[in-house]
Amino acid sequence: MHRSAPATPEKAHAPAPRIRLARVLACAAVPVMLVAAGCSSDSGGDKKKDAPSASSSGGKQASASPSLAPAKFKKLPEACQSIGEKSIDKYVPKAKTKAGEVGKTSDPQSQASCTWNGLDDKGVDGSNYRWLDVDFKRYDSTPGLGSGDALAQKQFDRAVSGAQGTADAKNVKTSPVSGLGDQATAITFDLKKTDADFRYGVVVVRTANTVVAVDYNGTGYQGADAPSAGDVQDGATATAKEAVAAVATANNK
């Protein structure tokens, strides 16, 4: 999800970590039932009688493999509408566009994203740069691969590991987030880019078969301080809650 940070405030562009789920291959074992046939002789000779097979009338048939549970969520919200304008005003002051910039995708019902960024010039007090990125990934239950929830779980784990393993990151801290989706993890870290100290707050959430990843980061220019770890984590958590709620709303229409 990371992008190169700007060399100058006017072209400030903070990296945003993205993690893509590798294709997972799995084999489904097909149960095999062996049916044995017995034989017996009557008292009058050596005439054989076949014992009834399990496939004859009244026998038990081999049960089919249990089908995968259907995925809970069938679609994604429009990413740039998942975060309200009030939140954009609060967390990304002076955003270039409150409408956000839509990420490219070939299937908006499986993957969608949106970013906002802005430079708030405080005059003699310096400038504050903020970047917000929200990313959605949705998975359907697929025979041979797994249920939508299981595939989303793998993406969740990889997204968390990816944020924790960001190259050159310092002061990496990870903590669970309670009451958000089926599971949620927050990661904060510091990253130096183009002589500016950026601070990142990443929150990854799994809600059923959908993974929401929010990256909120920023820095200060011309004497302004970077946001605190608490500030970026609070911003990432608050906007992640909005994004998760947007998933539920989109599927209730």
Side-chain angles (χ1 to χ4, degrees), residues 202-220:
V202 176
V203 172
V204 184
V205 186
R206 182 183 70 82
T207 174
N209 58 308
T210 299
V211 175
V212 178
V214 171
D215 174 353
Y216 179 52
N217 65 77
T219 190

Side-chain angles (χ1 to χ4, degrees), residues 80-81 83-92 98-99 116 242:
C80 288
Q81 295 181 17
I83 309 299
E85 285 191 10
K86 289 183 178 179
S87 292
I88 299 304
D89 287 338
K90 180 177 181 179
Y91 298 112
V92 192
K98 289 185 181 181
W116 297 260
E242 289 189 52

Side-chain angles (χ1 to χ4, degrees), residues 222-249:
Q222 300 172 334
D225 294 329
S228 68
D231 287 342
V232 291
Q233 180 169 334
D234 288 347
T237 301
T239 48
K241 288 179 179 178
E242 289 189 52
V244 169
V247 174
T249 299

Side-chain angles (χ1 to χ4, degrees), residues 91-104:
Y91 298 112
V92 192
K94 306 293 184 180
K96 289 181 179 179
T97 170
K98 289 185 181 181
E101 298 178 19
V102 182
K104 293 182 180 180

Side-chain angles (χ1 to χ4, degrees), residues 128 133 162:
N128 295 319
D133 179 286

Side-chain angles (χ1 to χ4, degrees), residues 33-106:
M33 181 177 71
L34 299 179
V35 180
C39 56
S40 61
S41 301
D42 60 20
S43 57
D46 58 1
K47 184 178 180 180
K48 297 180 179 180
K49 298 179 180 179
D50 292 336
S53 70
S55 60
S56 63
S57 177
K60 294 182 178 180
Q61 299 289 335
S63 59
S65 298
S67 59
L68 292 173
K72 178 178 180 180
F73 296 123
K74 305 300 182 184
K75 57 184 179 179
L76 293 175
E78 292 188 31
C80 288
Q81 295 181 17
S82 66
I83 309 299
E85 285 191 10
K86 289 183 178 179
S87 292
I88 299 304
D89 287 338
K90 180 177 181 179
Y91 298 112
V92 192
K94 306 293 184 180
K96 289 181 179 179
T97 170
K98 289 185 181 181
E101 298 178 19
V102 182
K104 293 182 180 180
T105 178
S106 59

